[in-house]
Structures are given as C-alpha cells and as structure tokens.
Amino acid sequence: MDDTRPIWVQLVEEFRRRIVTGQWAPESRVPSVRELAQEAGVNPNTVQRALTELDRTGLTATERTAGRFVAAGAGTVEAIRRELAMGAARAYRDDAAAVGLNLDQAVDLLTECWPGAHGAGAGDHDDNQDDSDEH
C-alpha cells in the first residue's frame, strides 16, 4: 500500500482493476468484506467504504440477502478500462519525455516490447551479453 493516499482509495483502485481484468467477472459474487479485509490486512470498515464507492459508481450492486455482485454492464467496465489505460499511458509519456524521448521514439519502444507485436521481446535483450560462442 502507498502511505501517501487513503487505503480505501487504493482498495477502490485494486477492486476496479480486478473487475476490468475479469478477475471478478460480470455478475459474479464479490468476496465478503471480511475476506477482503483479511486479504488486504486492513479494517473491515475500510473495505466496506471502498465497496460502497464501487456500488455508488455502478461497478457493483448489493442485493440485500444475496450479497454484492459485479455489475453486468460492459459499457461501465470499458470506460474504467480506458481510464486505467489512459493513466498508464500518461505515466509512460511523462517517463519517456523525462529521459528525452520524442513521440516516435516512445512509440517505437512500446511497439518493440508489446506482446505479439513485430520485434516483441527485442527490448528484453541485454546489449552487454555476448551471444556468440567466441570468447
């Protein structure tokens, strides 16, 4: 956990990530407050606050006798996925610019390391390693 931000906010982010990645599938039951609190090592009230925020934003819904479920709406999940991806993209942009890369260089690096893209994995090569059998 990040000590600079409230724990419940960090839990909201983690739970949103679980929904967006499908770890918590649409219409699936969300683990109990007690389970999540134990997993995160935090007070159950903190988890409840985070889950209440998910309810408020429509990512989850609470059924009084059945528990809390992930919402079925794909539009909401896609909006959250885009928001999370945009945050990651902005962070990469800032980091790339900080080391002096221009847009084309940054895109080339991203393409180079993207799984399944042409040249993927090439960025993982250690330039200091000698691949030849000659020493």
Side-chain angles (χ1 to χ4, degrees):
M1 295 273 170
D2 175 2
D3 291 339
T4 63
R5 297 178 306 129
I7 293 171
W8 73 271
V9 171
Q10 295 175 65
L11 290 173
V12 168
E13 292 168 354
E14 171 59 20
F15 299 159
R16 288 172 54 175
R17 186 196 60 76
R18 292 179 185 188
I19 292 169
V20 167
T21 62
Q23 186 176 352
W24 289 356
E27 300 183 21
S28 69
R29 193 166 192 276
V30 174
S32 73
V33 170
R34 178 174 285 157
E35 290 174 79
L36 293 169
Q38 190 171 34
E39 175 189 326
V42 299
N43 186 300
N45 292 329
T46 304
V47 171
Q48 182 59 48
R49 183 169 182 188
L51 292 173
T52 299
E53 178 63 15
L54 293 182
D55 286 347
R56 189 189 69 72
T57 60
L59 280 176
T60 58
T62 302
E63 296 180 18
R64 184 161 220 164
T65 58
R68 182 176 273 111
F69 293 83
V70 176
T76 302
V77 171
E78 283 305 314
I80 298 299
R81 179 176 286 126
R82 179 169 171 71
E83 179 185 328
L84 292 173
M86 186 60 78
R90 286 186 180 119
Y92 175 65
R93 175 203 61 202
D94 294 347
D95 289 347
V99 297
L101 297 181
N102 64 34
L103 176 60
D104 289 336
Q105 292 168 322
V107 169
D108 287 347
L109 283 176
L110 186 58
T111 302
E112 187 176 313
C113 67
W114 196 268
H118 179 71
D124 296 334
H125 178 73
D126 183 355
D127 291 332
N128 296 324
Q129 183 178 352
D130 184 1
D131 291 335
S132 69
D133 291 332
E134 300 171 18
H135 290 283

PDB file of all heavy atoms in Angstrom, residues 73-92:
ATOM      1  N   GLY A  73     -22.997  -4.507 -16.752  1.00  0.00           N
ATOM      2  CA  GLY A  73     -22.848  -3.503 -17.805  1.00  0.00           C
ATOM      3  C   GLY A  73     -21.452  -3.412 -18.382  1.00  0.00           C
ATOM      4  O   GLY A  73     -20.525  -2.971 -17.726  1.00  0.00           O
ATOM      5  N   ALA A  74     -21.304  -3.832 -19.623  1.00  0.00           N
ATOM      6  CA  ALA A  74     -19.991  -3.807 -20.286  1.00  0.00           C
ATOM      7  C   ALA A  74     -19.512  -2.376 -20.531  1.00  0.00           C
ATOM      8  O   ALA A  74     -18.312  -2.124 -20.526  1.00  0.00           O
ATOM      9  CB  ALA A  74     -20.054  -4.569 -21.602  1.00  0.00           C
ATOM     10  N   GLY A  75     -20.427  -1.443 -20.737  1.00  0.00           N
ATOM     11  CA  GLY A  75     -20.048  -0.056 -21.003  1.00  0.00           C
ATOM     12  C   GLY A  75     -19.282   0.557 -19.848  1.00  0.00           C
ATOM     13  O   GLY A  75     -18.295   1.264 -20.045  1.00  0.00           O
ATOM     14  N   THR A  76     -19.710   0.278 -18.639  1.00  0.00           N
ATOM     15  CA  THR A  76     -19.039   0.806 -17.460  1.00  0.00           C
ATOM     16  C   THR A  76     -17.635   0.214 -17.342  1.00  0.00           C
ATOM     17  O   THR A  76     -16.672   0.928 -17.076  1.00  0.00           O
ATOM     18  CB  THR A  76     -19.842   0.488 -16.186  1.00  0.00           C
ATOM     19  OG1 THR A  76     -21.146   1.040 -16.325  1.00  0.00           O
ATOM     20  CG2 THR A  76     -19.187   1.056 -14.956  1.00  0.00           C
ATOM     21  N   VAL A  77     -17.518  -1.081 -17.579  1.00  0.00           N
ATOM     22  CA  VAL A  77     -16.217  -1.742 -17.495  1.00  0.00           C
ATOM     23  C   VAL A  77     -15.279  -1.185 -18.558  1.00  0.00           C
ATOM     24  O   VAL A  77     -14.110  -0.911 -18.285  1.00  0.00           O
ATOM     25  CB  VAL A  77     -16.361  -3.275 -17.622  1.00  0.00           C
ATOM     26  CG1 VAL A  77     -15.007  -3.948 -17.757  1.00  0.00           C
ATOM     27  CG2 VAL A  77     -17.110  -3.829 -16.415  1.00  0.00           C
ATOM     28  N   GLU A  78     -15.775  -0.987 -19.756  1.00  0.00           N
ATOM     29  CA  GLU A  78     -14.939  -0.427 -20.831  1.00  0.00           C
ATOM     30  C   GLU A  78     -14.494   0.990 -20.501  1.00  0.00           C
ATOM     31  O   GLU A  78     -13.350   1.358 -20.794  1.00  0.00           O
ATOM     32  CB  GLU A  78     -15.669  -0.468 -22.177  1.00  0.00           C
ATOM     33  CG  GLU A  78     -15.695  -1.844 -22.799  1.00  0.00           C
ATOM     34  CD  GLU A  78     -14.308  -2.462 -22.954  1.00  0.00           C
ATOM     35  OE1 GLU A  78     -13.368  -1.782 -23.426  1.00  0.00           O
ATOM     36  OE2 GLU A  78     -14.146  -3.628 -22.563  1.00  0.00           O
ATOM     37  N   ALA A  79     -15.370   1.777 -19.910  1.00  0.00           N
ATOM     38  CA  ALA A  79     -14.996   3.143 -19.523  1.00  0.00           C
ATOM     39  C   ALA A  79     -13.892   3.120 -18.470  1.00  0.00           C
ATOM     40  O   ALA A  79     -12.936   3.891 -18.547  1.00  0.00           O
ATOM     41  CB  ALA A  79     -16.221   3.893 -19.000  1.00  0.00           C
ATOM     42  N   ILE A  80     -13.998   2.210 -17.511  1.00  0.00           N
ATOM     43  CA  ILE A  80     -12.972   2.092 -16.478  1.00  0.00           C
ATOM     44  C   ILE A  80     -11.674   1.580 -17.091  1.00  0.00           C
ATOM     45  O   ILE A  80     -10.580   2.059 -16.770  1.00  0.00           O
ATOM     46  CB  ILE A  80     -13.430   1.154 -15.343  1.00  0.00           C
ATOM     47  CG1 ILE A  80     -14.678   1.704 -14.659  1.00  0.00           C
ATOM     48  CG2 ILE A  80     -12.313   0.918 -14.341  1.00  0.00           C
ATOM     49  CD1 ILE A  80     -14.517   3.048 -14.006  1.00  0.00           C
ATOM     50  N   ARG A  81     -11.766   0.606 -18.000  1.00  0.00           N
ATOM     51  CA  ARG A  81     -10.570   0.081 -18.674  1.00  0.00           C
ATOM     52  C   ARG A  81      -9.851   1.217 -19.397  1.00  0.00           C
ATOM     53  O   ARG A  81      -8.628   1.351 -19.301  1.00  0.00           O
ATOM     54  CB  ARG A  81     -10.958  -1.030 -19.652  1.00  0.00           C
ATOM     55  CG  ARG A  81      -9.754  -1.607 -20.400  1.00  0.00           C
ATOM     56  CD  ARG A  81     -10.148  -2.764 -21.295  1.00  0.00           C
ATOM     57  NE  ARG A  81     -10.421  -3.924 -20.462  1.00  0.00           N
ATOM     58  CZ  ARG A  81     -11.546  -4.623 -20.486  1.00  0.00           C
ATOM     59  NH1 ARG A  81     -12.509  -4.316 -21.315  1.00  0.00           N
ATOM     60  NH2 ARG A  81     -11.715  -5.654 -19.689  1.00  0.00           N
ATOM     61  N   ARG A  82     -10.601   2.038 -20.097  1.00  0.00           N
ATOM     62  CA  ARG A  82      -9.991   3.160 -20.827  1.00  0.00           C
ATOM     63  C   ARG A  82      -9.348   4.148 -19.853  1.00  0.00           C
ATOM     64  O   ARG A  82      -8.245   4.638 -20.094  1.00  0.00           O
ATOM     65  CB  ARG A  82     -11.027   3.851 -21.699  1.00  0.00           C
ATOM     66  CG  ARG A  82     -10.458   5.035 -22.457  1.00  0.00           C
ATOM     67  CD  ARG A  82     -11.391   5.561 -23.523  1.00  0.00           C
ATOM     68  NE  ARG A  82     -10.923   6.798 -24.091  1.00  0.00           N
ATOM     69  CZ  ARG A  82      -9.883   6.935 -24.898  1.00  0.00           C
ATOM     70  NH1 ARG A  82      -9.180   5.880 -25.250  1.00  0.00           N
ATOM     71  NH2 ARG A  82      -9.528   8.118 -25.366  1.00  0.00           N
ATOM     72  N   GLU A  83     -10.017   4.418 -18.761  1.00  0.00           N
ATOM     73  CA  GLU A  83      -9.487   5.345 -17.761  1.00  0.00           C
ATOM     74  C   GLU A  83      -8.168   4.821 -17.171  1.00  0.00           C
ATOM     75  O   GLU A  83      -7.194   5.566 -17.051  1.00  0.00           O
ATOM     76  CB  GLU A  83     -10.516   5.527 -16.648  1.00  0.00           C
ATOM     77  CG  GLU A  83     -10.092   6.447 -15.530  1.00  0.00           C
ATOM     78  CD  GLU A  83     -11.113   6.492 -14.410  1.00  0.00           C
ATOM     79  OE1 GLU A  83     -12.322   6.355 -14.670  1.00  0.00           O
ATOM     80  OE2 GLU A  83     -10.668   6.643 -13.262  1.00  0.00           O
ATOM     81  N   LEU A  84      -8.132   3.534 -16.839  1.00  0.00           N
ATOM     82  CA  LEU A  84      -6.910   2.946 -16.291  1.00  0.00           C
ATOM     83  C   LEU A  84      -5.790   2.949 -17.327  1.00  0.00           C
ATOM     84  O   LEU A  84      -4.631   3.252 -17.013  1.00  0.00           O
ATOM     85  CB  LEU A  84      -7.182   1.523 -15.800  1.00  0.00           C
ATOM     86  CG  LEU A  84      -8.094   1.393 -14.579  1.00  0.00           C
ATOM     87  CD1 LEU A  84      -8.404  -0.074 -14.304  1.00  0.00           C
ATOM     88  CD2 LEU A  84      -7.484   2.059 -13.364  1.00  0.00           C
ATOM     89  N   ALA A  85      -6.127   2.599 -18.560  1.00  0.00           N
ATOM     90  CA  ALA A  85      -5.123   2.589 -19.629  1.00  0.00           C
ATOM     91  C   ALA A  85      -4.607   4.000 -19.900  1.00  0.00           C
ATOM     92  O   ALA A  85      -3.409   4.191 -20.140  1.00  0.00           O
ATOM     93  CB  ALA A  85      -5.707   1.971 -20.896  1.00  0.00           C
ATOM     94  N   MET A  86      -5.484   4.978 -19.861  1.00  0.00           N
ATOM     95  CA  MET A  86      -5.067   6.360 -20.089  1.00  0.00           C
ATOM     96  C   MET A  86      -4.096   6.811 -18.994  1.00  0.00           C
ATOM     97  O   MET A  86      -3.103   7.484 -19.272  1.00  0.00           O
ATOM     98  CB  MET A  86      -6.279   7.291 -20.139  1.00  0.00           C
ATOM     99  CG  MET A  86      -5.924   8.714 -20.520  1.00  0.00           C
ATOM    100  SD  MET A  86      -5.152   8.886 -22.143  1.00  0.00           S
ATOM    101  CE  MET A  86      -6.574   8.748 -23.198  1.00  0.00           C
ATOM    102  N   GLY A  87      -4.351   6.411 -17.766  1.00  0.00           N
ATOM    103  CA  GLY A  87      -3.432   6.738 -16.674  1.00  0.00           C
ATOM    104  C   GLY A  87      -2.061   6.128 -16.899  1.00  0.00           C
ATOM    105  O   GLY A  87      -1.030   6.775 -16.698  1.00  0.00           O
ATOM    106  N   ALA A  88      -2.049   4.866 -17.337  1.00  0.00           N
ATOM    107  CA  ALA A  88      -0.774   4.196 -17.622  1.00  0.00           C
ATOM    108  C   ALA A  88      -0.064   4.863 -18.792  1.00  0.00           C
ATOM    109  O   ALA A  88       1.157   5.045 -18.772  1.00  0.00           O
ATOM    110  CB  ALA A  88      -1.012   2.718 -17.912  1.00  0.00           C
ATOM    111  N   ALA A  89      -0.828   5.249 -19.809  1.00  0.00           N
ATOM    112  CA  ALA A  89      -0.240   5.901 -20.978  1.00  0.00           C
ATOM    113  C   ALA A  89       0.362   7.252 -20.601  1.00  0.00           C
ATOM    114  O   ALA A  89       1.463   7.604 -21.048  1.00  0.00           O
ATOM    115  CB  ALA A  89      -1.296   6.076 -22.069  1.00  0.00           C
ATOM    116  N   ARG A  90      -0.335   8.000 -19.780  1.00  0.00           N
ATOM    117  CA  ARG A  90       0.193   9.305 -19.348  1.00  0.00           C
ATOM    118  C   ARG A  90       1.471   9.136 -18.525  1.00  0.00           C
ATOM    119  O   ARG A  90       2.418   9.917 -18.667  1.00  0.00           O
ATOM    120  CB  ARG A  90      -0.862  10.056 -18.551  1.00  0.00           C
ATOM    121  CG  ARG A  90      -1.962  10.617 -19.416  1.00  0.00           C
ATOM    122  CD  ARG A  90      -2.930  11.477 -18.614  1.00  0.00           C
ATOM    123  NE  ARG A  90      -3.960  11.992 -19.482  1.00  0.00           N
ATOM    124  CZ  ARG A  90      -5.257  11.739 -19.339  1.00  0.00           C
ATOM    125  NH1 ARG A  90      -5.685  10.986 -18.342  1.00  0.00           N
ATOM    126  NH2 ARG A  90      -6.139  12.232 -20.187  1.00  0.00           N
ATOM    127  N   ALA A  91       1.489   8.122 -17.670  1.00  0.00           N
ATOM    128  CA  ALA A  91       2.690   7.880 -16.866  1.00  0.00           C
ATOM    129  C   ALA A  91       3.869   7.522 -17.772  1.00  0.00           C
ATOM    130  O   ALA A  91       4.985   8.019 -17.573  1.00  0.00           O
ATOM    131  CB  ALA A  91       2.434   6.763 -15.852  1.00  0.00           C
ATOM    132  N   TYR A  92       3.635   6.674 -18.785  1.00  0.00           N
ATOM    133  CA  TYR A  92       4.697   6.314 -19.721  1.00  0.00           C
ATOM    134  C   TYR A  92       5.153   7.549 -20.504  1.00  0.00           C
ATOM    135  O   TYR A  92       6.347   7.774 -20.668  1.00  0.00           O
ATOM    136  CB  TYR A  92       4.242   5.213 -20.676  1.00  0.00           C
ATOM    137  CG  TYR A  92       5.269   4.910 -21.738  1.00  0.00           C
ATOM    138  CD1 TYR A  92       6.499   4.366 -21.385  1.00  0.00           C
ATOM    139  CD2 TYR A  92       5.038   5.207 -23.076  1.00  0.00           C
ATOM    140  CE1 TYR A  92       7.470   4.106 -22.346  1.00  0.00           C
ATOM    141  CE2 TYR A  92       5.998   4.954 -24.041  1.00  0.00           C
ATOM    142  CZ  TYR A  92       7.207   4.407 -23.676  1.00  0.00           C
ATOM    143  OH  TYR A  92       8.167   4.167 -24.617  1.00  0.00           O
TER     144      TYR A  92
END
